[in-house]
Structures are given as structure tokens and as C-alpha cells.
């Protein structure tokens, strides 16, 4: 797939923007914590005249992948692959987790980053068959005494 980007710099107006590999750092606040994310080989549209960089979709995805890795969160493709390995639809898994299918689908596409507690619950869901069975049995959950 060919990466599309504007060759005109939004800062200086020159048509000298090309893909460059640069070191990049960003501070990301997520789920009550700050994460300093360093990407040594960040590929991004960069102006050859003034050095301004532009964040396109691919750059945003690189940041998201690097952040998830540093925060220890499942990547979108890992979430999708684990769901697929269970033979479940997005709809059925979202229902079992009691989240909207829109939110769950956004985790799989990378549009939304799950919290650390959601990530831990997803991991448990994927590896513990008893948890899946309990969540599938809604009636048992509804009849469980409040503790």
C-alpha cells in the first residue's frame, strides 16, 4: 500500500515534504498514568526545508503501537486474533464483556485504547474457559448474591 501524504508543508508552505525516519518522543496520559513513549525509527512526513513533521494516519498508528507496547496492553491485532481463535463474533464477545460492540470493535481497529483493567479482563477472558462459561451464563450472574 502506498502511503499518501501532502507534499506541501503546513508551516512554511514549500512543497518539500517527504517521508523521513526520525527519533521521536511523546508523553501520553492514559488511565491515570503518564507514559514517555520513545520511537527511535519514527517514519513521518517531514519538510525538507523547515523540518516540520506532520502526523498522518500511519504516524498515529506507530505512536499507538509503541504506546500499547510500553504500557503492556494488547495490540488491536492480538485482540482480533484471540477472538477469532475462540470462533466468536465481535457482537457475541462484546455482549459477554458487557460493552458496546462499537467500543469492542474500536479496540480491534486501534481507534480506541482499552484501559489497563479492560486489558487484564480481556486477557483473562481469552485464557480462562471458566470465565467465558460464567459470563455466557447470564442467568447465573443475575442470580448471584450481592457481595
Amino acid at each position: 500500500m502506498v502511503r499518501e501524504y501532502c507534499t506541501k508543508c503546513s508551516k512554511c508552505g514549500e512543497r518539500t515534504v517527504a517521508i523521513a525516519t526520525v527519533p521521536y518522543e511523546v508523553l501520553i496520559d492514559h488511565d491515570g498514568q503518564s507514559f514517555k513513549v520513545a520511537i527511535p525509527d519514527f517514519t513521518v512526513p517531514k519538510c525538507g526545508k523547515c523540518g516540520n513533521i506532520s502526523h498522518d494516519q500511519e504516524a498515529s498508528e506507530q505512536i499507538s503501537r509503541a504506546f500499547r507496547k510500553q504500557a503492556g496492553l494488547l495490540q488491536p491485532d492480538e485482540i482480533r486474533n484471540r477472538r477469532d481463535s475462540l470462533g466468536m463474533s465481535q457482537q457475541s464477545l462484546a455482549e459477554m464483556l458487557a460493552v458496546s460492540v462499537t467500543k469492542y470493535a474500536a479496540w480491534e481497529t486501534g481507534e480506541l485504547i482499552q484501559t489497563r483493567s479492560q486489558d487484564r479482563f480481556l486477557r483473562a477472558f481469552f485464557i480462562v474457559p471458566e470465565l467465558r462459561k460464567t459470563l455466557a451464563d447470564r442467568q447465573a450472574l443475575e442470580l448471584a448474591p450481592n457481595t
Side-chain angles (χ1 to χ4, degrees):
M1 186 169 153
V2 175
R3 185 170 178 174
E4 295 184 23
Y5 58 93
C6 183
T7 59
K8 184 177 179 181
C9 179
S10 61
K11 187 173 181 182
C12 72
E14 295 294 321
R15 292 202 175 274
T16 57
V17 175
I19 298 297
T21 301
V22 298
Y24 184 77
E25 285 188 359
V26 63
L27 188 63
I28 297 177
D29 291 324
H30 179 73
D31 199 17
Q33 285 189 336
S34 291
F35 297 85
K36 185 177 179 182
V37 179
I39 307 171
D41 54 353
F42 190 53
T43 57
V44 63
K46 180 181 176 184
C47 178
K49 182 175 181 185
C50 72
N52 185 52
I53 63 170
S54 302
H55 286 230
D56 61 353
Q57 181 66 32
E58 173 59 29
S60 295
E61 289 173 8
Q62 288 176 71
I63 293 168
S64 179
R65 283 190 303 272
F67 165 71
R68 281 183 172 90
K69 182 177 180 180
Q70 181 167 339
L73 301 173
L74 291 167
Q75 298 287 344
D77 60 327
E78 292 176 305
I79 297 170
R80 182 182 56 256
N81 292 341
R82 290 179 185 198
R83 175 185 55 80
D84 285 345
S85 73
L86 295 173
M88 298 182 74
S89 68
Q90 287 183 343
Q91 180 71 41
S92 63
L93 199 150
E95 286 175 6
M96 289 178 75
L97 298 177
V99 298
S100 71
V101 70
T102 304
K103 177 181 253 185
Y104 179 80
W107 292 341
E108 282 194 8
T109 63
E111 181 181 331
L112 181 65
I113 298 174
Q114 67 277 16
T115 64
R116 288 172 295 151
S117 63
Q118 291 165 334
D119 190 82
R120 285 183 179 180
F121 194 74
L122 279 169
R123 289 172 188 272
F125 180 87
F126 292 135
I127 64 172
V128 180
E130 295 82 9
L131 176 58
R132 293 192 299 272
K133 184 179 183 305
T134 300
L135 292 175
D137 188 0
R138 287 188 183 162
Q139 188 174 13
L141 288 174
E142 291 169 5
L143 297 176
N146 293 334
T147 55

